[in-house]
């Protein structure tokens, strides 16, 4: 599925809609829900994550974790906006792998355990840099810079 957004607000709106869909998911996942975000610098990945996190009902601001690599948000502390208000997910992890060369660089951060835990949502910017640690089943979102204000956002399944 491909969507063109005409400004960052639109990208955040799409991300909020997507968050709603994720909360409504009634699948029997055994592992974390992993969302792999790819696209050049400035393509809109962090903007999308900000909208997504807002869409989950989180009030705190999500900055770009470029210098942190990984940021954790405890979702159960927020009122998740799913219909029956059940905390389907407990934690959200936001990673920025811009500076990483391989998935091995994430092993010290216990990424394997994080991905094994079905109560986690894991959003990974620059996922293509850490392919070796990505699970087979993931939601892939590719961002493309079209011009100053337009971005193409493509949703698909798998690596
Ligand atoms: P990335 O995380 O991919 O490096 P960011 O989300 O940090 O990208 O930055 C995107 C930049 O582009 C922001 O400054 C944002 O305001 C701007 N921008 C302009 N148009 C759009 C759009 N349609 N969608 C997302 N961001 C946009
Ligand atoms: Mg970013």
């Amino acid at each position: 599925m491909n969507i063109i957004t005409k400004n960052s607000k639109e990208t955040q709106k799409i991300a909020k809609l997507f968050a709603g869909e994720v909360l409504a998911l009634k699948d029997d996942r055994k592992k974390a829900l992993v969302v792999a975000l790819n696209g050049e610098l400035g393509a809109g990945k962090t903007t999308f994550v900000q909208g997504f996190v807002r869409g989950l009902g989180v009030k705190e601001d999500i900055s770009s974790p470029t210098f942190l690599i990984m940021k954790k948000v405890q979702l159960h502390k927020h009122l998740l906006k799913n219909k029956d208000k059940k905390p389907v997910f407990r934690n959200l992890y936001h990673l920025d792998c811009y500076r990483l060369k391989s998935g091995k660089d994430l092993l010290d951060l216990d990424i394997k355990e994080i991905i094994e835990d079905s109560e986690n949502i894991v959003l990974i910017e620059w996922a293509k840099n850490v392919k070796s640690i990505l699970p087979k089943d993931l939601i892939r979102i590719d961002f493309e810079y079209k011009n100053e204000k337009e971005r193409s956002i493509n949703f698909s399944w798998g690596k």
Side-chain angles (χ1 to χ4, degrees):
M1 186 177 64
N2 195 269
I3 291 165
I4 303 279
T5 62
K6 294 194 171 59
N7 54 56
S8 50
K9 277 241 164 67
E10 281 190 14
T11 293
Q12 292 188 336
K13 243 187 237 172
I14 293 298
K16 280 184 191 170
L17 284 175
F18 176 65
E21 291 300 317
V22 163
L23 286 181
L25 271 180
K26 287 213 172 56
D27 57 355
D28 48 1
R29 261 173 319 97
K30 303 275 189 305
K31 297 183 178 188
L33 179 80
V34 176
V35 182
L37 307 148
N38 284 304
E40 293 307 307
L41 270 182
K45 301 180 295 299
T46 301
T47 303
F48 185 93
V49 173
Q50 286 165 342
F52 182 84
V53 167
R54 279 270 179 283
L56 293 181
V58 175
K59 298 283 185 293
E60 71 195 60
D61 268 325
I62 293 296
S63 55
S64 178
T66 300
F67 298 100
L68 278 174
I69 301 181
M70 183 163 85
K71 200 179 171 218
K72 177 182 182 180
V73 180
Q74 293 184 303
L75 295 174
H76 59 281
K77 293 190 172 162
H78 301 270
L79 186 63
L80 288 188
K81 290 182 180 165
N82 58 337
K83 285 189 193 89
D84 43 13
K85 302 269 193 315
K86 263 197 235 132
V88 198
F89 295 102
R90 278 184 81 76
N91 305 298
L92 177 144
Y93 292 86
H94 178 203
L95 285 82
D96 190 324
C97 301
Y98 178 55
R99 279 157 215 282
L100 304 188
K101 297 227 158 41
S102 114
K104 286 187 198 142
D105 297 341
L106 287 176
L107 296 180
D108 284 348
L109 296 172
D110 292 334
I111 190 69
K112 288 212 163 139
E113 289 80 353
I114 291 169
I115 288 177
E116 286 298 315
D117 186 343
S118 64
E119 293 189 322
N120 294 334
I121 303 178
V122 187
L123 298 165
I124 309 178
E125 293 191 40
W126 295 96
K128 70 182 175 81
N129 290 356
V130 293
K131 267 198 168 166
S132 64
I133 59 96
L134 299 177
K136 259 203 331 292
D137 289 325
L138 51 72
I139 298 173
R140 175 176 164 169
I141 313 182
D142 294 298
F143 295 79
E144 204 183 314
Y145 181 103
K146 289 288 187 192
N147 57 50
E148 202 190 327
K149 288 280 159 199
E150 283 188 357
R151 304 290 186 272
S152 152
I153 306 176
N154 193 272
F155 294 78
S156 55
W157 287 102
K159 286 203 221 188

